[in-house]
């Protein structure tokens, strides 16, 4: 089993998601407002439990997986998760995604966590490209994608449902990073 690194940002702690986060993830997914734009077995307890367990236990490869998000000011409060995994869990492309419980909405947590995971993707893993498919009505997630430097690529389908496909490339990412001018 590959161990994922932990990360800290200005306001957040990101640690590999594990079974200790299981109940918090289940509760978050059962909130219809949270999963409004996401297909999944959220209303079937048996399927939902099996789906979540498999997503927690699978080995996605070196440096890939899910990170649980915790605010530094309330370290025991599960805010949600951010992922960097093979597209639709199978690849070959790598996708980034995020899901936060309602208490964390509108506070910049998704943007802050996703920025750190993109840094990991490009600078530590050496990926050339990261994608995100977002429901066309999920304007909040589209704004997060744009804030972390992703650009709209095309309209597409994900599981037969329309989506907006966003992409960030290594060169685009490097072009957005602050440069050390030596001053």
């Amino acid at each position: 089993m590959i161990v994922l690194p932990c990360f800290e940002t200005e306001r957040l702690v990101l640690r590999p998601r594990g079974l200790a986060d299981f109940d918090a993830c289940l509760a978050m997914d059962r909130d219809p407002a949270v999963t409004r734009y996401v297909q999944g077995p959220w209303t079937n307890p048996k399927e939902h439990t099996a789906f979540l367990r498999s997503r927690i236990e699978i080995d996605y490869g070196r440096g890939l997986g899910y990170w649980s998000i915790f605010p530094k000011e309330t370290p025991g409060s599960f805010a949600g998760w951010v992922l960097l995994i093979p597209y639709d869990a199978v690849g070959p492309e790598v996708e980034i995604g995020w899901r936060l419980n309602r208490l964390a909405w509108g506070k910049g947590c998704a943007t802050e966590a996703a920025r750190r995971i993109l840094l990991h993707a490009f600078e530590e893993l050496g990926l050339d490209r990261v994608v995100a498919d977002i429901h066309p009505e999920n304007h909040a997630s589209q704004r997060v994608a744009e804030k972390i430097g992703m650009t709209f690529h095309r309209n597409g389908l994900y599981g037969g449902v329309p989506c907006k496909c966003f992409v960030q490339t290594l060169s685009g990412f490097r072009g957005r990073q602050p440069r050390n001018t030596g001053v």
Side-chain angles (χ1 to χ4, degrees):
M1 178 179 206
I2 296 173
V3 178
L4 291 174
C6 293
F7 301 112
E8 287 193 26
T9 67
E10 182 179 334
R11 301 176 304 136
L12 304 172
V13 173
L14 311 177
R15 66 164 173 72
R17 185 170 77 163
L19 289 175
D21 306 317
F22 193 84
D23 290 339
C25 288
L26 275 177
M28 180 177 66
D29 290 350
R30 287 182 180 142
D31 181 344
V34 171
T35 55
R36 177 179 176 189
Y37 301 114
V38 184
Q39 294 179 4
W42 320 129
T43 59
N44 181 315
K46 185 176 180 181
E47 289 180 16
H48 185 193
T49 298
F51 173 82
L52 180 57
R53 185 171 299 281
S54 72
R55 286 290 177 122
I56 288 174
E57 293 177 343
I58 193 170
D59 181 348
Y60 294 101
R62 184 182 74 82
L64 301 177
Y66 284 75
W67 287 264
S68 292
I69 304 168
F70 296 90
K72 286 181 177 177
E73 65 183 29
T74 54
S77 299
F78 175 82
W81 51 253
V82 59
L83 65 79
L84 185 69
I85 64 171
Y87 183 78
D88 201 23
V90 294
E93 291 204 274
V94 174
E95 69 175 309
I96 190 169
W98 43 86
R99 184 173 307 156
L100 279 75
N101 65 48
R102 275 200 262 184
L103 294 175
W105 288 2
K107 298 178 181 176
C109 294
T111 301
E112 191 171 327
R115 253 191 207 121
R116 181 59 186 97
I117 296 304
L118 268 185
L119 179 68
H120 170 68
F122 292 122
E123 298 297 327
E124 296 161 26
L125 299 181
L127 298 179
D128 291 322
R129 173 181 156 109
V130 174
V131 300
D133 286 350
I134 301 172
H135 191 284
E137 295 175 16
N138 190 343
H139 303 291
S141 278
Q142 290 174 45
R143 282 192 301 278
V144 170
E146 291 165 351
K147 286 178 185 177
I148 65 171
M150 299 187 91
T151 56
F152 174 75
H153 180 62
R154 62 178 172 78
N155 290 310
L157 292 174
Y158 183 84
V161 175
C163 66
K164 293 192 172 284
C165 306
F166 287 80
V167 66
Q168 174 64 290
T169 62
L170 174 60
S171 61
F173 179 79
R174 286 187 175 153
R176 292 180 52 91
Q177 293 304 300
R179 299 193 192 288
N180 182 351
T181 59
V183 178

